[in-house]
Amino acid sequence: MPHDPSAPVILGNEPGSFPHSVLAERHPAIIRQVREAFPYGPAQHRALDALLASCTKGVVEPLPADAHDRARWEAWGMADYAGRSWYDIPWLWSESYFYRQLLDAVGYFGPGPWQGIDPFRPFKLAELDSPETDEELAALDALSADDRDRALLHGSLWGNRADLGFRLSAAGAGTAETAPGLVADDSEALWSLLPPTGAGTLCLIADNAGRELVPDLLLIAHLLERGRIGRAVLHIKPYPYYVSDATTADVLDALRRLTGAQGAALKYGRILWAAMTEGRLSLRAHPFSAGPLPYADMPGDLRAELATAALTVVKGDLNYRRLVGDRLWAPTTPFADVTAHFPGPVAALRTLKSDVITGLDLDTEAALVAAEDQRWRTGGTHALIQVRT
């Protein structure tokens, strides 16, 4: 990762900033939503109240000595941030720790009857089973084989709008009057890494479940069917994270949705099912996937695994922040420079929902600022496809 003193690590302590609004408004809203999603008992309600007080007005509390993952969080920097305000530490770290503590508050890590119960599952299933999902799956039947490369790539890209956590803070913000465009489009470079006779491995680092994960899976199925890849590895989260991030259970729910559909969606569902049983599609839930650090700090085993891929596709806003570093880069900072640490070819598919951005040309940045000031960075109405070969 290049060192640039003009690109400071993003904190949440500036009132009026997007990170501050996430800590001060989105996280309390998520706590309220979670406590209403299940009939949690008094102990869980007290724990949620304590987390609300801590993350809004208190300080980061260290994990107890007997926590199953204490050693991991110590390696991730817990000693550096314990006792400090949630607002005064790196935003990426405070967000990640919030979700870890939220799961602990509702008993996810157990032992007890609530162990392993995803507090976000009702929201994920409601979205996955929505009429909008039916419409999107039915639209596959109208695509010719030649149209599907671009359509499914863009479906995976724009599916990131389904991010449930983002919706909590975007509610009531209105919608764009016109269809947004890409601020960067390296799709030709992406396809060059996945030739029609390819036999390599695609790693896809997933972001959200539901209506975003479905097009991710459709893209994988299409690439397998067309022979552009020989194998795919889908990297998901080891536990529920950032409200809607995909876990193994969410992948299975999405497969159920596809295999229960009709037409092209059903065909793709069967391709995926067979690929999993044959080992051509596998799931990976590395602990670092739910870590609070940039990918420049990934452990050696994960680095070695990604180094073998013909291409790693990094999905969504959070993964983009981890890929380039959660810093206030100048927007024209070359994408290749800030991803030079990555162990192989990498592509970012991302709708813009936070301040971090790299790889823009001067004219594009100027046009965006002239039209929207800085709102284009966080509104979710612009997207990018960036590739470093």
Side-chain angles (χ1 to χ4, degrees):
M1 188 74 67
H3 176 69
D4 183 352
S6 68
V9 173
I10 294 177
L11 309 179
N13 57 6
E14 182 181 344
S17 69
F18 183 70
H20 188 277
S21 72
V22 169
L23 298 176
E25 300 168 21
R26 183 189 295 185
H27 286 179
I30 289 170
I31 290 174
R32 290 192 295 270
Q33 188 182 44
V34 164
R35 70 184 297 152
E36 295 170 2
F38 290 98
Y40 292 125
Q44 289 155 309
H45 280 233
R46 286 193 296 271
L48 289 170
D49 289 341
L51 177 59
L52 177 62
S54 170
C55 71
T56 54
K57 299 178 182 178
V59 298
V60 172
E61 300 288 346
L63 298 179
D66 60 350
H68 73 282
D69 54 351
R70 181 182 171 96
R72 184 177 300 145
W73 280 94
E74 285 179 339
W76 287 343
M78 185 173 64
D80 294 331
Y81 304 127
R84 298 173 62 183
S85 166
W86 293 74
Y87 295 86
D88 293 336
I89 64 177
W91 181 41
L92 177 62
W93 204 96
S94 60
E95 277 197 292
S96 296
Y97 198 64
F98 167 80
Y99 285 100
R100 192 274 175 219
Q101 295 294 67
L102 179 62
L103 291 182
D104 195 48
V106 297
Y108 181 86
F109 296 117
W114 291 94
Q115 185 176 25
I117 301 299
D118 183 349
F120 311 125
R121 184 169 171 79
F123 321 126
K124 294 175 177 178
L125 289 179
E127 180 189 271
L128 185 63
D129 294 332
S130 68
E132 289 83 1
T133 305
D134 288 326
E135 295 169 5
E136 290 162 2
L137 294 180
L140 286 172
D141 296 326
L143 294 173
S144 69
D146 291 337
D147 290 336
R148 285 184 181 174
D149 276 359
R150 182 181 185 278
L152 291 175
L153 177 65
H154 280 254
S156 180
L157 168 66
W158 289 108
N160 187 239
R161 285 177 172 175
D163 184 335
L164 298 173
F166 177 76
R167 285 182 184 176
L168 286 174
S169 57
T175 57
E177 294 181 2
T178 58
L182 298 180
V183 300
D185 185 3
D186 295 340
S187 52
E188 288 189 13
L190 185 151
W191 290 120
S192 74
L193 294 165
L194 302 172
T197 56
T201 296
L202 171 75
C203 289
L204 192 151
I205 300 178
D207 191 31
N208 297 310
R211 284 173 56 207
E212 181 181 355
L213 184 60
V214 165
D216 291 345
L217 290 171
L218 292 173
L219 177 62
I220 289 172
H222 176 70
L223 296 174
L224 287 168
E225 181 193 37
R226 295 295 291 267
R228 285 185 174 271
I229 57 174
R231 180 172 176 265
V233 181
L234 183 63
H235 288 252
I236 51 178
K237 300 301 188 294
Y239 50 74
Y241 192 63
Y242 277 71
V243 181
S244 53
D245 281 32
T247 64
T248 298
D250 299 317
V251 174
L252 299 179
D253 286 336
L255 281 175
R256 170 191 58 80
R257 191 71 161 89
L258 291 172
T259 55
Q262 299 178 349
L266 172 58
K267 182 188 75 170
Y268 280 140
R270 288 173 173 169
I271 288 172
L272 292 164
W273 192 282
M276 288 193 72
T277 62
E278 295 163 3
R280 293 182 296 117
L281 170 60
S282 57
L283 306 182
R284 183 83 159 97
H286 196 285
F288 189 77
S289 294
L293 304 178
Y295 279 108
D297 297 330
M298 75 176 81
D301 62 331
L302 182 58
R303 178 174 295 276
E305 182 176 338
L306 297 178
T308 66
L311 175 65
T312 297
V313 173
V314 174
K315 282 294 310 292
D317 196 79
L318 171 62
N319 284 327
Y320 187 86
R321 290 164 56 195
R322 298 186 72 191
L323 176 64
V324 304
D326 204 29
R327 294 173 174 269
L328 287 174
W329 300 107
T332 55
T333 303
F335 179 73
D337 288 358
V338 294
T339 57
H341 64 86
F342 205 81
V346 62
L349 303 185
R350 175 216 184 189
T351 49
L352 277 58
K353 299 175 184 175
S354 66
D355 292 303
V356 178
I357 186 71
T358 67
L360 299 191
D361 60 53
L362 283 170
D363 290 343
T364 298
E365 181 196 4
L368 289 166
V369 173
E372 305 178 36
D373 193 21
Q374 297 299 325
R375 294 187 302 277
W376 60 272
R377 292 175 178 257
T378 58
T381 57
H382 296 283
L384 58 79
I385 301 172
Q386 291 177 324
V387 177
R388 195 220 72 210
T389 58

